Amino acid sequence: MTKFYADCQARIAADLISGTWPMVVVYSLSKGPARPGDLRRKIGGISQKVLTETLRRLEHNGIVERRRYAEAPPRVEYSLTEAGRDLLVPIEALGDWAAKHASTVLDAQESA
Amino acid sequence: MTKFYADCQARIAADLISGTWPMVVVYSLSKGPARPGDLRRKIGGISQKVLTETLRRLEHNGIVERRRYAEAPPRVEYSLTEAGRDLLVPIEALGDWAAKHASTVLDAQESA
C-alpha cells in the first residue's frame, strides 16, 4: 500500500492555492502586469487588506513579482513569475471543472 | 474593466478543494472505491477525524458517494462521482505543477 501525500510536493501546491483569493489573484494577472488598484477593480469583492496580504503571500512563495517604478508618485506593478504562469494550467482546469460541475455541487448541497 | 471572480463558479471550486486534504482524498480514490481504513493507510499523516470530516464534506458536495454493504460487520466504501472523477484533471495538473515548481517555492520562501 503506497503511503503518499502527507508531506509531498502536492501539499506545497495545495497550501499555496488554498482559499479563493490566491487563485483569483493569480488568474487576474494572466493577461499581464497590473497595479494593485487595477486588480481591486477587476476582482469583485476583495478588500484592499486581503488583496495586499494575498499579493504578499504569492510574492513570498515566488508566484508573483513586484516591480517598483521610481516615479512621483511611485508606481508598483505585480506580474506572474514563470511558476505563476504555469499555475494558470491547473487554475484554468479548475475553472473548466467549475463551469461543468458547479450546479452539480449546488444540487448535492441542497439535497444533502 | 471586467469584474469577475467574486461570486462565480470558480469560488465554489476553490472553496471545495481548499486545504490539503480534500485534494489528497479525491486523488487517493482515483484508482477506484476504497474503505476508510484503506484510505487511512494510503494517506500518510491524516487522522481518522480529519478523514471522516473530509469524506463527509466531499459527499455533501457531490464529489464522492458512500455505499454501505449490509454485511456483518457492515462494510462502507467510498468512490468518486462523475464530478469527482473530473476533478482529477485539475488535481493532477496541480501535481504536475508541484513536481516542477515546489523547489522554486521553497527557494523563494527561504530567500524572502
Side-chain angles (χ1 to χ4, degrees), chain B residues 18-74:
Chain B
S18 269
T20 308
W21 298 119
M23 281 196 261
V24 166
V25 170
V26 169
Y27 187 75
S28 66
L29 287 167
S30 57
K31 302 289 182 286
R35 293 195 215 174
D38 304 333
L39 294 174
R40 264 214 76 197
R41 277 184 294 276
K42 232 180 183 181
I43 304 171
I46 194 166
S47 69
Q48 184 59 51
K49 180 173 176 287
V50 167
L51 176 61
T52 305
E53 282 165 8
T54 304
L55 285 167
R56 197 164 292 156
R57 198 172 135 225
L58 289 171
E59 189 183 359
H60 175 74
N61 289 315
I63 303 302
V64 304
E65 53 198 359
R66 184 163 55 104
R67 193 161 296 144
R68 202 180 161 79
Y69 295 88
E71 297 168 0

Side-chain angles (χ1 to χ4, degrees), chain B residues 89-109:
Chain B
V89 173
I91 288 175
E92 282 167 2
L94 192 63
D96 296 343
W97 181 86
K100 183 177 175 189
H101 289 294
S103 52
T104 315
V105 173
L106 293 174
D107 294 346
Q109 290 171 344

Side-chain angles (χ1 to χ4, degrees), chain A residues 6 18-19 44 61 86 100-101 109, chain B residues 6 18-20 44 61 86 101 109:
Chain A
S18 269
N61 288 315
D86 284 356
K100 183 178 175 188
H101 289 294
Q109 291 171 345
Chain B
S18 269
T20 308
N61 289 315
D86 283 357
H101 289 294
Q109 290 171 344

